[in-house]
Amino acid sequence: MGNINKDFIEVLSNEELKATQLQLDTAVSELIEIGTQRESVYGDKAVLSIRARELQTEIQLAESDAIMNVQGSGKDAYGIIGNRKIFLTNDTARDAYRREASRKEREELAQVEGQLDKINTELFKITDSFNAKAEALRGIQAKARLQAALLESLA
């Protein structure tokens, strides 16, 4: 190794080679962990997305039932929610009646959509972290390839 640049010898020291191996192992483990976390969050998102679609259907059905249960006609049309008689004399009153009939489902849908928004934010953070770790791994891989090439040239 007498004619080899001193910087090359430092890169090929046992400590540097072991450090590179440890860095590769750590980076790969971190990527696997983040990937598993991302997969789990996507699973949660899928469950909530399905529930959101179910709630949208339940809202449509509840509102359809409410409209079908309207009694009377014209200016005398009314619907009953709980013990209240609600006159449906204009579009605003009909919309309010329809929305009141699906209130429970709408409230749950709002909660589910809030959870989906939170998950989307979490997914952005996880993806950013994954990309940063992957970029760091590429740097470590470049270092490992350099060490491998230097070792091969010495062989």
Side-chain angles (χ1 to χ4, degrees):
M1 283 199 202
N3 60 354
I4 297 176
N5 186 323
K6 180 183 175 199
D7 292 333
F8 290 166
I9 293 173
E10 289 177 15
V11 170
L12 296 176
S13 71
N14 281 338
E15 294 80 23
E16 279 296 319
L17 292 172
K18 287 179 184 177
T20 300
Q21 181 182 6
L22 179 62
Q23 290 168 348
L24 283 169
D25 288 345
T26 302
V28 168
S29 295
E30 289 173 350
L31 278 177
I32 290 170
E33 182 180 324
I34 291 170
T36 302
Q37 181 184 10
R38 184 168 57 178
E39 188 177 309
S40 172
V41 173
Y42 272 121
D44 294 344
K45 182 178 180 177
V47 168
L48 286 172
S49 294
I50 289 168
R51 183 62 185 142
R53 185 64 192 127
E54 290 170 348
L55 285 167
Q56 289 168 352
T57 301
E58 289 176 22
I59 288 168
Q60 291 171 343
L61 291 173
E63 291 176 354
S64 294
D65 285 345
I67 295 300
M68 298 302 286
N69 290 325
V70 170
Q71 299 174 6
S73 62
K75 292 183 179 185
D76 295 329
Y78 66 91
I80 297 176
I81 295 182
N83 294 329
R84 295 183 309 177
K85 189 179 203 180
I86 300 171
F87 287 96
L88 308 174
T89 56
N90 58 38
D91 288 340
T92 303
R94 282 188 289 278
D95 286 344
Y97 171 70
R98 185 176 47 81
R99 287 190 179 105
E100 182 63 26
S102 62
R103 171 182 262 175
K104 184 183 84 173
E105 293 86 354
R106 286 178 178 277
E107 288 173 351
E108 185 179 348
L109 179 60
Q111 290 175 352
V112 167
E113 287 174 342
Q115 290 173 333
L116 282 168
D117 288 344
K118 183 179 174 185
I119 282 176
N120 285 332
T121 301
E122 187 177 348
L123 282 171
F124 283 125
K125 290 178 183 177
I126 290 170
T127 299
D128 285 347
S129 177
F130 184 87
N131 290 340
K133 298 288 183 187
E135 188 62 35
L137 178 60
R138 283 189 281 279
I140 297 166
Q141 286 173 324
K143 177 183 167 186
R145 281 192 289 278
L146 171 68
Q147 289 172 326
L150 289 171
L151 286 170
E152 193 174 297
S153 71
L154 293 175

